[in-house]
Amino acid sequence: MVERAEPAPWDRPAPGRSTRLFRAFTGLAFLCALGLALVTWVTLSRPFDPGQRSAPAVRPDPAAVRAAAALPRYPGSVLVLTYHGVSDTDRAGSTLSRELFGRHMAVLAAAGYRTVRLRDVEDLLARRPVRLPPRAMLITFDDGQLTDWTTADPVLKEHGFTAVGFLATGKIVQPGTPSYYLSTRQVEDLAATGRWEFGSHGDGPHDLVPVPGDVAAPMPNLILVDGKRETIGHWRARVRRDLARSQRFFRETLGHPVRAFSYPFGKAGDSGNDPRIAKELPALLRRAGFGEAFVGEDVPTGPVDALTAGSPRWALDRIGVRSTTSVADLLEMIRAAVPMPLPRDLSALPWTGDHAACRRDASDLRVTAGGYGSCLLRGVNTSKWTDYRMTASVSGIDPRTSAVIAVRDGAGTRHRGRVEVVVGAASALVRERDGERRPTVLGRTPIAPVAGARGVRIEVRGIRLTVSVAGGRPLRAAIDPRLGEGGLTFEIAARERHTLTYRKPTLHPLRAG
Amino acid sequence: MTRRRPRIPFGGLPWTARLVSLGALAWVGVICGMIVWHVSVKVAYLRGNLLLSAYTVLVSSYVISRFALAAFYRPPRDAGIVPSVAIVVPAYNEGEAVARTIHSCIGLEYPDDKLEIVVVNDGSTDDTWEHMRKAAARYPKGRVRCVDLGGNKGKRAAMAAGIRATSAEILVFVDSDSMPAPGSVRLLVQGFADEKVGAISGLTHVRNADENVLTRMQAARYYVSFQLLKSAESVLGAVTCCSGCFAAYRRAAIAPLLDAWEHQRFLGVECTYGDDRALTNRVIKAGWTTRYDARAQAWTDAPDRYRKFFRQQLRWKKSWSREGPLLLAHVWRSRTRALPSIAVQTIAGLLSPLVVLYSLVTPIAGGRFPMIYFLGLYLVSMGYALTYRMLRDDGMWIYAFAGTFFYVAFSPQLLWAIARIRDGKWGTRDAPASAPPFAQRPVQVHGAAVNDG
């Protein structure tokens, strides 16, 4: 090393300075970059944890409340509603505005609806003794959207309602993560309110997938895997895995598995493309620890029944509510869903004419038509009218006019058949229809002429039918088991304009047979 | 020219400079606050990859704790004691430079009868020994003691021989290319007024800082490391490395462990590097306190070529990987309050290369860009740069910023160091025109390098 001529380090002058302007510029640039970095840092680190919004102030429309109060009651039934999101900013068809949701709840609360817990539902299905409020309801929320926490819960709290959240568990995020769905912490918080119970809505991706010839919900279908239809074994393993993952989520988050399930897309096994699925899916659900499963995510396109002791455990109906469902629509759907107890005086019901004029006259029902006409019950849930005896006497039958009384009429139910009792001037017959097919005659009897009204007695008990027409021998027949429920109609078949009078049409309940 | 007074950074400065320094301090506070807030969010919302979160929390708390502890650092009180001091200078193939070192040590402001210089010739093959004798002959007998090992025995043997050749109370180690400031030894020994103190590290600057970008980055790095990391460790009473280029040890502390230190073996091989860290480690293990004195300053040469620099880093990383776990094995009882920071430093330091590689590979492999990681790195770098700017106004703060990235970028070298930990070669010996084995040995400051990530 050479001897350095330079001064000792501690005596060295400060290093050469760049100009004041340059230094100021560098410093400023760095400070701006630092500011930007800090802003980004805050944006990235800030936890996404929205609080609850207060319930919107809504005053229920008095007319709606009156209409709601007039809804039928059926002791031992539970009305089940399906909601998804509740938000003023989300435009999804399944998302209600906060105001509309508030009005729904307010009207239901004013009409005396009280919520029940899943445990009550289980007891009801198991036919264990359970005390249900006179108007019992179960509010469910599918998917587990964030709005369950932010907007729906405050409204429920206001009305003292409880709810069931069916979580698409794969979509539930870690706390603080920006998401459209709940976080595990919000699930815990909701559970801690005591208002919320949870069920599973499946775990896997909540998307329609290709199935042979279509796209459909993955759970109840054999889907296409690599362009080939999967085997039933593959399907079984896939669904079992999905259910197990979902239950694991609940064990980890809530500390216990859940009992209730709601089918993704509301599609139960019978909607699938393989008959074995309809049979096996409930078994898989049961094995995964579930006790009941709900269908019905959307506005019902077919009949919906409120949940009762006899409801099918693996396909429990719900009324889907969407952004377009006004309070009036909701009440209409509820009316159609709540079973009407077996009435005694049939003439007092709101009959509507179909190609006929229906008129109530004291305790008689007068049907006038110039051809074939019917008196129907619209928007009445007759699903509980299974075992009864109908008595009436008919006047006005002549050789050109027959009386037709239909039982197990499929309008508004899950089948399209009916059983008709035709009473003419000289004979009576019983025939069964199923859809558009030609009717099958189940029995026929000549009847002796009688003076005045002719008494008719129809007994329905399960699949057994007994018809007694005054002046004829009793007709007994077995009904197709598919025609398990349905209402009654009073009809006229006339060559020219005529009126039939059904005197004192009355129902007497019978013990189930 | 007034002496720099880093401990009272704002003293005697014009008000504009004072304002800039205070501004830098405020920004450091803001950065620390942001990191603390981020960590508390992480803890409150445990989400994502739990391992990565744990790593973030550990490293962030470590970095923040350095800033916090360093804020409480005060240099040892000037007790006015004048113990007998021996400056031990090991030399190997130094040539004329050894004479320069002897002259500069003699020039130190310290009572002549209390200061002794011990120069050890470690079997040099050149004329080092002649230069030593000639230089020593210029001073009264007893001031400079020359020791010849008679063969190349290694740096530890040279230092041990030097220590055995003197009876001074305090032993000051100065590397042959280090240059202590005139008053520095007097300041350095003041800390020994405390009976429990076994070793004290001085503050080492880079002498050739203006050479190129590499030396500038090292200079800024040294300064921040000393002022932050060593200060923080000093507050806890356990400075883990009293660096070989300028540090003082109490004779009573090292005499009993001299033999074990000289012949330390690790994984079946004799340890040739990391002598200072190993010695400090043993002093702590024996129950002594180790401190840092920011007033005692020395200047040393840093490698000015990347090749040499990487080799030096490899040696330091090897000695860190060896001494870190050894320290951890006893620090829980020898100095319990330093355990958390040393544990975190060791664990995070070992994980850091993996995290760096993971963060670089993830976006390439199609994963998400680890924005938080790189932003965090940026904030820490700015924290260091602003700390530098707060304490010194020489325009080098940008190098403190860039240097942090630079050091982190090659922290995966640690993996290589661990893999080759038994290889005792210095790595400079076979290089052409290489410096002597212990000529290029400034302080070990990579504790910061492996812990920034």
Side-chain angles (χ1 to χ4, degrees):
Chain A
M1 278 191 203
V2 290
E3 191 71 37
R4 287 164 204 239
E6 63 192 61
W10 49 88
D11 288 331
R12 234 181 276 168
R17 293 271 181 82
S18 37
T19 66
R20 206 185 176 82
L21 192 70
F22 179 76
R23 281 164 55 215
F25 175 76
T26 325
L28 204 66
F30 264 76
L31 284 186
C32 288
L34 179 60
L36 191 68
L38 285 175
V39 170
T40 320
W41 178 257
V42 169
T43 315
L44 288 179
S45 326
R46 194 177 44 202
F48 177 78
D49 193 6
Q52 290 195 313
R53 303 189 58 181
S54 57
V58 284
R59 215 139 28 94
D61 176 18
V65 172
R66 271 199 304 280
L71 287 173
R73 295 163 195 244
Y74 187 84
S77 75
V78 178
L79 176 74
V80 192
L81 303 178
T82 312
Y83 288 90
H84 287 82
V86 177
S87 163
D88 290 341
T89 49
D90 182 16
R91 294 267 152 256
S94 60
T95 300
L96 277 73
S97 70
R98 293 166 63 219
E99 200 257 336
L100 180 58
F101 180 70
R103 278 197 289 138
H104 280 190
M105 293 299 118
V107 165
L108 291 171
Y113 274 94
R114 298 290 175 262
T115 49
V116 298
R117 312 314 303 257
L118 277 174
R119 169 154 208 96
D120 301 323
V121 169
E122 292 219 311
D123 286 344
L124 183 66
L125 290 175
R127 298 179 193 271
R128 285 191 289 265
V130 52
R131 290 175 65 92
L132 294 176
R135 282 183 166 166
M137 130 176 108
L138 188 70
I139 304 172
T140 69
F141 289 84
D142 273 9
D143 297 350
Q145 293 182 13
L146 179 62
T147 57
D148 290 2
W149 164 253
T150 52
T151 50
D153 183 57
V155 178
L156 296 174
K157 184 182 181 185
E158 187 176 82
H159 297 295
F161 285 163
T162 61
V164 180
F166 285 108
L167 309 182
T169 48
K171 304 208 167 188
I172 305 302
V173 295
Q174 298 278 309
T177 315
S179 172
Y180 186 72
Y181 296 91
L182 292 169
S183 74
T184 50
R185 175 164 304 180
Q186 282 149 354
V187 171
E188 285 162 17
D189 287 349
L190 284 174
T193 62
R195 282 186 289 278
W196 286 76
E197 296 176 282
F198 294 98
S200 167
H201 197 37
D203 182 79
H206 213 75
D207 299 309
L208 296 177
V209 296
V211 300
D214 201 359
V215 286
M219 184 163 279
N221 286 290
L222 298 181
I223 62 170
L224 287 176
V225 179
D226 300 330
K228 282 205 298 276
R229 183 193 181 104
E230 66 182 343
T231 62
I232 188 80
H234 188 280
W235 170 85
R236 214 179 279 132
R238 175 167 64 82
V239 170
R240 194 183 292 147
R241 222 169 25 239
D242 189 82
L243 298 178
R245 266 203 298 270
S246 201
Q247 286 288 35
R248 189 167 61 230
F249 168 87
F250 286 108
R251 273 196 300 274
E252 282 166 4
T253 311
L254 301 176
H256 57 82
V258 295
R259 295 280 295 160
F261 188 80
S262 93
Y263 295 101
F265 301 99
K267 299 289 190 189
D270 58 357
S271 72
N273 56 6
D274 192 294
R276 288 171 291 182
I277 290 176
K279 214 169 95 243
E280 285 198 28
L281 189 50
L284 289 179
L285 284 167
R286 189 190 297 277
R287 210 169 304 149
F290 293 103
E292 61 273 339
F294 291 84
V295 295
E297 270 207 58
D298 282 345
V299 172
T301 48
V304 166
D305 293 333
L307 200 148
T308 53
S311 294
R313 177 180 287 272
W314 300 109
L316 298 172
D317 272 338
R318 295 183 296 175
I319 297 175
V321 183
R322 293 177 74 83
S323 61
T324 47
T325 310
S326 67
V327 171
D329 295 341
L330 178 70
L331 297 182
E332 200 48 52
M333 291 194 290
I334 293 175
R335 172 187 300 283
V338 176
M340 177 180 269
L342 202 64
R344 202 176 160 74
D345 182 6
L346 281 171
S347 67
L349 297 181
W351 296 98
T352 43
D354 181 26
H355 296 101
C358 302
R359 199 154 57 79
R360 187 187 172 192
D361 186 7
S363 56
D364 299 344
L365 180 65
R366 294 166 70 89
V367 188
T368 308
Y372 198 101
S374 313
C375 291
L376 315 166
L377 290 170
R378 284 230 171 91
V380 172
N381 188 307
T382 57
S383 61
K384 293 297 162 190
W385 301 6
T386 49
D387 305 288
Y388 54 85
R389 182 193 307 132
M390 197 285 300
T391 56
S393 50
V394 197
S395 65
I397 298 172
D398 59 30
R400 302 174 73 83
T401 312
S402 296
V404 180
I405 303 170
V407 295
R408 297 286 166 90
D409 180 48
T413 71
R414 284 172 179 76
H415 65 86
R416 297 175 62 211
R418 55 196 254 163
V419 177
E420 295 171 350
V421 176
V422 186
V423 183
S427 69
L429 70 83
V430 177
R431 63 188 181 201
E432 185 180 81
R433 282 180 190 276
D434 184 8
E436 299 302 313
R437 275 183 288 169
R438 288 183 65 82
T440 328
V441 175
L442 300 176
R444 185 193 293 268
T445 179
I447 46 176
V450 292
R454 189 182 288 275
V456 178
R457 198 176 71 171
I458 304 172
E459 267 187 39
V460 191
R461 217 183 250 214
I463 60 162
R464 279 181 296 148
L465 175 75
T466 311
V467 179
S468 309
V469 181
R473 63 177 174 85
L475 296 170
R476 291 196 173 78
I479 313 171
D480 187 324
R482 282 175 296 176
L483 313 187
E485 58 171 310
L488 285 96
T489 63
F490 292 95
E491 305 179 348
I492 179 172
R495 296 263 170 83
E496 57 211 37
R497 192 161 185 83
H498 198 79
T499 298
L500 280 181
T501 308
Y502 292 90
R503 293 180 193 280
K504 291 193 172 51
T506 314
L507 287 182
H508 310 269
L510 294 176
R511 290 241 311 281
Chain B
M1 184 79 208
T2 50
R3 192 84 29 92
R4 280 206 188 90
R5 301 283 302 278
R7 271 325 304 159
I8 315 156
F10 313 145
L13 290 173
W15 68 269
T16 39
R18 223 179 273 204
L19 216 61
V20 171
S21 285
L22 282 173
L25 177 64
W27 278 105
V28 171
V30 169
I31 289 174
C32 289
M34 282 297 177
I35 293 175
V36 167
W37 171 74
H38 176 84
V39 167
S40 44
V41 167
K42 268 260 152 71
V43 172
Y45 294 85
L46 275 181
R47 59 178 153 142
N49 188 331
L50 220 60
L51 272 176
L52 279 181
S53 299
Y55 176 81
T56 308
V57 170
L58 275 183
V59 169
S60 308
S61 354
Y62 176 76
V63 171
I64 294 301
S65 73
R66 297 304 95 176
F67 281 100
L69 286 171
F72 289 100
Y73 170 77
R74 297 289 175 273
R77 206 165 47 84
D78 195 342
I81 56 166
V82 191
S84 60
V85 170
I87 300 179
V88 180
V89 186
Y92 172 78
N93 287 357
E94 300 281 330
E96 208 180 351
V98 74
R100 187 164 54 91
T101 311
I102 293 170
H103 298 321
S104 76
C105 286
I106 288 291
L108 289 168
E109 293 163 8
Y110 206 78
D112 289 356
D113 55 332
K114 297 278 192 179
L115 184 69
E116 172 179 41
I117 293 146
V118 184
V119 197
V120 187
N121 177 30
D122 181 18
S124 299
T125 51
D126 63 355
D127 55 353
T128 304
W129 177 244
E130 282 68 43
H131 281 291
M132 277 163 62
R133 298 300 302 250
K134 223 160 64 192
R138 282 170 55 180
Y139 301 104
K141 194 170 160 52
R143 296 232 46 200
V144 180
R145 204 183 288 253
C146 295
V147 179
D148 190 8
L149 288 187
N152 188 252
K153 301 273 178 59
K155 184 175 179 191
R156 289 194 194 205
M159 287 169 77
I163 293 164
R164 290 195 187 95
T166 172
S167 59
E169 290 171 65
I170 305 297
L171 302 155
V172 175
F173 294 135
V174 175
D175 267 344
S176 48
D177 59 350
S178 295
M179 210 183 250
S184 59
V185 168
R186 203 195 69 77
L187 289 166
L188 189 61
V189 299
Q190 295 310 312
F192 290 108
D194 181 350
E195 291 297 324
K196 295 193 287 291
V197 172
I200 300 178
S201 172
L203 166 58
T204 310
H205 297 285
V206 171
R207 180 164 50 191
N208 55 346
D210 284 334
E211 194 105 355
N212 55 30
V213 173
L214 179 63
T215 56
R216 277 189 205 118
M217 282 198 295
Q218 289 182 84
R221 184 85 193 161
Y222 274 42
Y223 189 72
V224 172
S225 295
F226 271 94
Q227 295 292 36
L228 270 184
L229 307 188
K230 288 234 197 298
S231 293
E233 289 181 343
S234 181
V235 170
L236 295 174
V239 176
T240 53
C241 178
C242 290
S243 50
C245 49
F246 189 51
Y249 289 82
R250 193 191 288 275
R251 171 177 212 76
I254 54 173
L257 37 88
L258 207 53
D259 283 324
W261 170 71
E262 189 185 344
H263 303 294
Q264 185 191 4
R265 295 181 82 80
F266 186 69
L267 299 177
V269 233
E270 188 139 341
C271 300
T272 48
Y273 43 75
D275 46 88
D276 43 6
R277 192 172 275 272
L279 189 58
T280 314
N281 207 342
R282 280 149 194 275
V283 168
I284 294 173
K285 187 177 182 181
W288 296 90
T289 305
T290 54
R291 292 216 179 275
Y292 159 66
D293 192 333
R295 299 168 308 175
Q297 303 175 62
W299 276 259
T300 193
D301 282 330
D304 51 0
R305 310 296 290 270
Y306 283 91
R307 198 180 160 80
K308 275 202 268 180
F309 172 73
F310 286 132
R311 281 183 178 148
Q312 183 192 56
Q313 285 292 320
L314 186 66
R315 280 200 308 277
W316 289 359
K317 287 192 163 94
K318 279 181 185 174
S319 74
W320 182 85
S321 335
R322 182 186 72 214
E323 297 299 328
L326 290 179
L327 175 65
L328 206 52
H330 65 73
V331 77
W332 57 272
R333 57 184 158 78
S334 51
R335 188 141 297 271
T336 315
R337 67 186 138 135
L339 173 66
S341 72
I342 288 175
V344 170
Q345 181 194 349
T346 310
I347 295 166
L350 290 171
L351 286 178
S352 150
L354 300 176
V355 174
V356 172
L357 290 178
Y358 176 83
S359 303
L360 290 175
V361 166
T362 307
I364 296 169
R368 251 182 39 184
F369 182 73
M371 192 68 179
I372 280 285
Y373 174 79
F374 286 105
L375 260 183
L377 202 57
Y378 173 86
L379 289 186
V380 171
S381 308
M382 273 316 276
Y384 288 162
L386 287 164
T387 306
Y388 189 95
R389 178 61 191 80
M390 174 179 80
L391 299 175
R392 302 181 98 187
D393 180 19
D394 57 7
M396 297 266 275
W397 59 273
I398 287 181
Y399 293 97
F401 170 76
T404 306
F405 283 94
F406 175 65
Y407 273 78
V408 168
F410 69 87
S411 70
Q413 193 195 24
L414 181 67
L415 301 176
W416 177 246
I418 291 172
R420 301 297 304 271
I421 198 160
R422 293 177 76 241
D423 178 8
K425 280 207 289 289
W426 278 80
T428 40
R429 217 170 262 222
D430 53 349
S434 76
F438 38 77
Q440 301 292 342
R441 298 188 32 69
V443 288
Q444 300 213 357
V445 287
H446 62 272
V450 288
N451 283 300
D452 288 333

